[in-house]
Amino acid sequence: MKHKKILKNKLFLYLTEFFSGMSVMAVELGASRLLAPYFSSSQIVWTIIIGTIMIAMALGNIYGGRKADKDKDPGKLYGRVLIAALWIALIPVVGKYIILGISAILVFTVNSNFLVIAAFAACMIVFVYPLFLLGTVTPSLAKYTTDSLEDNGRIIGTLGAFNTVGSIIGTFAPTFITIPAVGTSVTFLIFAGVLVALCVCYFLSPDEADAASNENLEKEKSQKKNLSRVIAGMLIFTICCIFGHSTSFAFWESGLTYEGESVYNYLQVKETPNSVILSTNVLFGVQSVLVKDGALTGMYYDYAMAAPYMCGVKDKAENGEDLDVLILGMGSGTYATQLSRYFDNVNITGVEIDDKITDLAHKYFELPDTTSVTTYDGRAYLAAVSDQYDVIMVDAYQDITIPFQMSSVEFFSLVKEHLAPGGVMVVNMNMYSEESQSGSQEATINTYLADTISSVFENVVVVDVPGATNKELFATESDEFLTKLKSNAAKEQNEKLAAMMERALLTVTEYEAGKNIMTDDKAPVELLGMRQIDSIIKDEVQYYKEIYKANGIEGLINSL
């Protein structure tokens, strides 16, 4: 059997190891971005991604080693790499449809652990096979590059080094370069293209010179086969580039004002006649909203407006004093814009880790340029400054992606230190389902949050947000905060806002603390959040399950 001339100095084999390692890590990071809009980017999802990829690589290592022992033809390896490359290129074309199809099936058949099962199934179907094929590269190359036992240690060590360096580049390049610049879909295509180019170089490389003329016919057949592989591979890859370059995850949406990706999030801005809406994922609703006519949002932000009244915002205005507000999790500035619209004596400081969201806030959500926004992690910001504030809003919790470092006793103690005398912390607690509101014996993520906050603050109350999966929690050391809320709300000239404060007063409930405390050492926010999402999904799909039982698939389709 004749080998390709390109393998003569082994550098090409080392480069194969380099690019395969790079592509594995790039696909892993791309997988997290592809799954995040549907399943969040929590530690649970990352665990599933890493676990399934390790399974694929381990099985690939075993299979690749056995194949290399049985057949020393490197062409078989590069054939597998080409298939892997084309599969990766197909991911942006069909991946999101597969994920949604899996979710649609499982949401009606799975009663618990939906997030884990759906994410695992998606990973197994979409990502395992190409990474299994790339897992065959290392043992195969170890076989092809080793000539004798005299230098096998050095050669295998070199292969490992090339793989590691490639993996490092494959880790940093998608996160900091390709995904923010061109999106997840194009990132998959870029790294698939690298592997395709590698395989094209191999298959189009001439064979070593034949000594016998009777081998010419076999050589000619091999060349035609290789050329067919190259043409077919390039054709499929070109089709993938044409149909897979779109960055749209919410492909059923039309007329989006903006859709793109940042280092941290998938972002979409949608404009209606009355509002502008920001979503940082597809399946979990609205994160921020701007009401164009200046009216109240109808969301939890309206109830969070009670915090300035609890601090005596109207009393301060009469005395010529300003109210200092810090917002951790600024988003597109809904709360800041609302405060600015209704109060003249409010100084607002925002902290938002995603600078692209801040850019969108200025462009689409009327966030004033005068509003100070720091691009930083909320807890890190508190640790870095010594300022005190009358109101601190904590709104960094999104679906189950709750930063554990912003849910612990240590964090809320830090918030307390930065509150001025009489100051109030307001926390938006999402994911309240009917089950969690009706006295379930199992503590929810919100119960843990409220218990943890109660262990730090003297006074904690909760306000319901009707028609939403939210509750607003207010915490303070002041014993007069509800009295101030009532007296300052009575001074409000805006009738709608005054009525909103009346509703807040009517629904405010003193929180009865339990013993579910989270600390920096132990804060199981992902598991608690997953349990809560299971409950919410169960509530939401029960209606459709009943339709399916009564009228079958046709009735279900007609109801959608």
Side-chain angles (χ1 to χ4, degrees):
M1 180 181 62
K2 302 299 180 182
H3 291 310
K4 299 286 187 179
K5 288 184 177 180
I6 199 170
L7 304 182
K8 200 166 186 180
N9 63 3
K10 296 182 181 178
L11 177 61
F12 188 75
L13 294 174
Y14 292 140
L15 289 176
T16 302
E17 185 74 17
F18 173 85
F19 287 120
S20 66
M22 182 175 68
S23 298
V24 166
M25 293 308 300
V27 170
E28 182 174 333
L29 288 162
S32 72
R33 299 307 294 264
L34 190 66
L35 295 176
Y38 310 102
F39 305 123
S40 86
S41 58
S42 69
Q43 189 177 24
I44 291 173
V45 175
W46 265 110
T47 300
I48 292 168
I49 292 170
I50 294 171
T52 52
I53 286 175
M54 290 180 70
I55 291 171
M57 296 299 292
L59 293 175
N61 288 164
I62 295 171
Y63 180 80
R66 291 179 176 177
K67 292 295 289 184
D69 285 339
K70 291 180 179 179
D71 190 343
K72 295 183 179 181
D73 179 13
K76 299 294 179 61
L77 169 63
Y78 286 94
R80 295 195 293 270
V81 173
L82 181 59
I83 294 172
L86 297 177
W87 187 291
I88 293 169
L90 282 166
I91 289 174
V93 180
V94 299
K96 52 196 173 187
Y97 303 103
I98 294 173
I99 292 170
L100 280 175
I102 291 169
S103 300
I105 293 170
L106 292 178
V107 78
F108 287 100
T109 57
V110 173
N111 292 320
S112 62
N113 297 322
F114 167 79
L115 180 72
V116 171
I117 296 171
F120 181 75
C123 280
M124 290 296 293
I125 293 172
V126 177
F127 300 107
V128 162
Y129 185 64
L131 296 179
F132 163 78
L133 294 177
L134 291 179
T136 67
V137 170
T138 297
S140 298
L141 292 180
K143 184 76 173 183
Y144 303 147
T145 52
T146 302
D147 297 320
S148 68
L149 294 178
E150 297 296 325
D151 62 351
N152 69 326
R154 175 182 61 81
I155 289 175
I156 292 175
T158 304
L159 284 172
F162 271 81
N163 182 281
T164 301
V165 174
S167 298
I168 293 170
I169 295 173
T171 300
F172 284 93
T175 300
F176 294 104
I177 301 174
T178 61
I179 290 176
V182 295
T184 301
S185 296
V186 176
T187 295
F188 277 116
L189 293 173
I190 288 172
F191 287 92
V194 170
L195 293 178
V196 169
L198 189 77
C199 295
V200 168
C201 290
Y202 173 82
F203 288 119
L204 294 185
S205 172
D207 293 334
E208 293 179 350
D210 293 322
S213 58
N214 58 3
E215 293 185 6
N216 287 338
L217 183 58
E218 182 181 344
K219 178 181 176 181
E220 186 177 342
K221 289 182 180 179
S222 176
Q223 288 174 340
K224 286 182 178 180
K225 183 179 179 180
N226 289 339
L227 184 60
S228 299
R229 285 176 173 174
V230 169
I231 293 173
M234 292 297 295
L235 180 61
I236 295 171
F237 181 71
T238 301
I239 293 172
C240 291
C241 289
I242 294 172
F243 292 101
H245 69 278
S246 171
T247 59
S248 176
F249 286 93
F251 51 87
W252 56 86
E253 292 276 11
S254 60
L256 289 176
T257 303
Y258 173 86
E259 185 175 15
E261 296 178 80
S262 69
V263 172
Y264 299 97
N265 290 297
Y266 156 76
L267 304 166
Q268 77 175 32
V269 176
K270 184 176 182 179
E271 191 167 353
T272 71
N274 300 317
S275 63
V276 183
I277 298 167
L278 171 71
S279 296
T280 56
N281 47 41
V282 172
L283 297 185
F284 291 99
V286 175
Q287 271 63 56
S288 297
V289 63
L290 170 73
V291 180
K292 294 179 180 179
D293 62 4
L296 294 171
T297 64
M299 298 174 64
Y300 67 87
Y301 301 103
D302 301 343
Y303 291 85
M305 293 285 282
Y309 293 101
M310 293 175 177
C311 298
V313 64
K314 293 296 183 179
D315 295 338
K316 285 180 177 288
E318 291 173 354
N319 297 325
E321 299 175 2
D322 288 342
L323 195 79
D324 294 320
V325 177
L326 174 66
I327 304 173
L328 302 178
M330 184 72 161
S332 66
T334 298
Y335 193 53
T337 301
Q338 197 151 296
L339 290 175
S340 299
R341 283 175 170 177
Y342 288 102
F343 304 115
D344 296 325
N345 62 323
V346 174
N347 300 318
I348 301 169
T349 300
V351 180
E352 171 57 53
I353 197 170
D354 193 335
D355 59 346
K356 205 158 195 176
I357 290 181
T358 303
D359 293 339
L360 296 177
H362 288 299
K363 186 173 182 179
Y364 299 109
F365 293 86
E366 300 181 8
L367 182 67
D369 292 333
T370 55
T371 301
S372 173
V373 183
T374 301
T375 303
Y376 218 45
D377 173 80
R379 179 165 175 175
Y381 179 85
L382 289 178
V385 301
S386 58
D387 299 333
Q388 289 192 319
Y389 304 89
D390 298 294
V391 174
I392 297 179
M393 183 184 196
V394 180
D395 192 19
Y397 308 146
Q398 174 191 317
D399 52 77
I400 68 165
T401 314
I402 296 179
F404 84 91
Q405 77 275 12
M406 294 182 69
S407 62
S408 64
V409 168
E410 292 84 352
F411 167 70
F412 292 115
S413 298
L414 193 58
V415 172
K416 180 179 173 181
E417 292 173 10
H418 285 77
L419 282 174
V424 173
M425 176 185 72
V426 53
V427 179
N428 173 46
M429 298 194 301
N430 200 353
M431 297 193 306
Y432 262 94
S433 69
E434 292 300 320
E435 180 181 341
S436 67
Q437 295 181 48
S438 60
S440 172
Q441 296 299 311
E442 198 168 32
T444 66
I445 179 63
N446 297 295
T447 302
Y448 270 83
L449 279 172
D451 286 355
T452 302
I453 293 168
S454 296
S455 72
V456 175
F457 287 89
E458 186 70 24
N459 301 296
V460 177
V461 298
V462 176
V463 175
D464 287 329
V465 180
T469 60
N470 299 75
K471 284 181 183 282
E472 293 304 292
L473 181 147
F474 301 88
T476 180
E477 292 296 288
S478 171
D479 293 327
E480 302 177 351
F481 71 109
L482 291 180
T483 303
K484 285 186 177 181
L485 169 59
K486 187 173 182 179
S487 63
N488 278 257
K491 298 177 182 180
E492 180 56 58
Q493 298 297 312
N494 185 294
E495 294 181 1
K496 291 185 178 180
L497 187 55
M500 172 59 67
M501 293 305 103
E502 286 295 326
R503 287 198 293 274
L505 277 166
L506 288 173
T507 60
V508 67
T509 305
E510 183 177 352
Y511 182 75
E512 297 182 8
K515 298 181 180 179
N516 302 291
I517 311 298
M518 293 190 288
T519 66
D520 284 349
D521 181 60
K522 185 180 180 182
V525 291
E526 288 87 6
L527 290 175
L528 292 167
M530 180 192 69
R531 186 189 304 159
Q532 194 73 10
I533 279 193
D534 280 342
S535 178
I536 292 172
I537 290 174
K538 185 178 179 181
D539 293 340
E540 292 293 330
V541 303
Q542 186 60 39
Y543 169 74
Y544 295 102
K545 283 186 176 181
E546 294 299 327
I547 292 176
Y548 177 73
K549 289 179 181 178
N551 303 312
I553 189 67
E554 184 177 351
L556 182 62
I557 293 173
N558 291 334
S559 69
L560 295 175

